[in-house]
Amino acid sequence: MSRPTSFRLDEKLLERLDAESRAASMTTTSLVSSLLDEGLKTREFPGVVYRPGPTGRRAGLVGGPDVWEIIRDLRGWPGRGMERIERLAEELELPVSMVSLAADFYSAFPEEIDARIEANEQAAEQIRRQIEQRENLLSS
């Protein structure tokens, strides 16, 4: 649920917001909301950044993979507790602190990461179907 809010912003900042919202095909209010949300999350979790991609903006680790990728792998990795984190970090050749950061971020925002995992699974399935259709076409 949202509530009306009023802020006084510098004219040049407003011009940049308007230009960015047009480029992103979104309202200025949606853009401001998104930027504030991402900014607050990255302040709470230093080392997490947001980056654009084919399925939208997503949380990633500075100098590392996306958070959803780590969580997807962490779910299926053998071990329990910190042992699981340590084993995955070794496999991915990442510091344990990065895998822990992804787990902590997920703990705070599971809906966001679960939605990203689902979106990527759907995109991968669509690509698999396209490849299958192409192969059927070429083999007939």
Side-chain angles (χ1 to χ4, degrees), residues 45-49 51 59-71 74 82 84-86 88-90 92-107:
F45 292 94
V48 172
V49 295
R51 46 178 82 116
L61 301 178
V62 173
D66 291 345
V67 172
W68 73 267
E69 294 173 298
I70 292 176
I71 299 306
L74 195 57
M82 277 306 292
R84 181 181 286 179
I85 287 174
E86 290 166 356
L88 180 60
E90 183 178 340
L92 297 176
E93 298 180 354
L94 293 172
V96 170
S97 61
M98 287 181 86
V99 177
S100 292
L101 176 59
D104 292 344
F105 187 88
Y106 176 78
S107 296

Side-chain angles (χ1 to χ4, degrees), residues 1 8 12 17 37 40 55 58 66 68-69 76-77 96 100 102 135:
M1 177 166 232
R8 295 191 186 280
K12 288 185 180 185
L17 282 169
D37 184 47
L40 290 171
T55 59
R58 74 250 191 242
D66 291 345
W68 73 267
E69 294 173 298
W77 210 253
V96 170
S100 292
E135 291 302 314

